[in-house]
Amino acid sequence: MDGVLSDIYAQYIKYEQEDLGITQSIDKLAGKPENHAFVNIYQYIYSSGFFYSAEQIAGSIEAVQKLNNSYQVFIVSSATQFPLSLIEKINWLAKYFPFISWQQIVLCGSKEIVHGDIMIDDHLKNRDHFVGKTILFTQPHNMAMENGKYLRVNSRAEIENILL
Amino acid sequence: MDGVLSDIYAQYIKYEQEDLGITQSIDKLAGKPENHAFVNIYQYIYSSGFFYSAEQIAGSIEAVQKLNNSYQVFIVSSATQFPLSLIEKINWLAKYFPFISWQQIVLCGSKEIVHGDIMIDDHLKNRDHFVGKTILFTQPHNMAMENGKYLRVNSRAEIENILL
């Protein structure tokens, strides 16, 4: 969800602007883990409204709508580390993705308990225990990684090309 | 979680006492689906505090503690249908099961996305897509079901005998 559907980097940058008065550009953040890129990141993540007020990544709604018509889609999000995020994520999905039912939502800690045929994720760690096909969704923190070992996509259009 | 760790029937009975002034006994509820057994069940489930104020099923804490020492344990709970329940379930686990980390908690809708070696659950529907071994935890709603097709346990002691 974060970094695939929800534009979490725009939130980090906006919160840091308000917090520290500095504005980092996306291209300077390539290859940096999120908690190195933003020094007060946990303060932002733990604050009320952080997840609910995030924007969708451009085209996410249309892409998920199309996938949802052809696949059994689950939205799986790491959330239990941040208890405030639980209701915000449910409400955020209801706002942008009302066609996703409660049956299709999973809020978890580790994603290693999840199985399926295809996982689209921005974090490599979530792929370690996944037996199906995995697709890495480009986000600044994973930009420095080699492409050789995994299928990388940079946009909703690329996902649609591969899966639809 | 509900009906395995959390004594959800005691909650239903208590809420119905307060709501309708009637006190159903557990042995009269055998074989009835929960939403037939308690006419205003959704009113109770959707009310604030319902999940957080539940008691643990006797012995749950000790049993999970022991299992957690020998297995990789995940607590998987159907929760996204009831958004209020999300934070209450996290807080409830923190209260009774503080040794369970956020990485081990999954709040979902359908459990068909979950995989593992052993599932302990009170609902047969959750077993349909599970590839590992399943153990049915006795609760009133499943009492009328035949034992032939699945392994049934009636208490934490029986679980410990099987798994430890």
Side-chain angles (χ1 to χ4, degrees), chain B residues 133-156:
Chain B
K133 181 179 176 176
T134 54
I135 298 176
L136 185 70
F137 194 83
T138 293
Q139 284 284 275
H141 65 80
N142 67 37
M143 277 179 179
M145 289 160 183
E146 301 262 338
N147 276 354
K149 288 188 290 184
Y150 42 77
L151 183 60
R152 178 191 285 276
V153 296
N154 299 296
S155 67
R156 62 69 76 93

Side-chain angles (χ1 to χ4, degrees), chain A residues 76-90:
Chain A
V76 181
S77 187
S78 296
T80 53
Q81 186 178 6
F82 311 107
L84 275 180
S85 78
L86 298 165
I87 188 72
E88 293 194 22
K89 288 186 172 202
I90 291 283

Side-chain angles (χ1 to χ4, degrees), chain B residues 83-110:
Chain B
L84 275 180
S85 78
L86 297 164
I87 188 72
E88 292 193 24
K89 287 186 172 203
I90 291 283
N91 290 340
W92 188 86
L93 287 170
K95 177 168 67 169
Y96 289 114
F97 300 84
F99 52 87
I100 294 292
S101 72
W102 60 264
Q103 288 96 335
Q104 294 171 276
I105 302 172
V106 181
L107 302 173
C108 60
S110 164

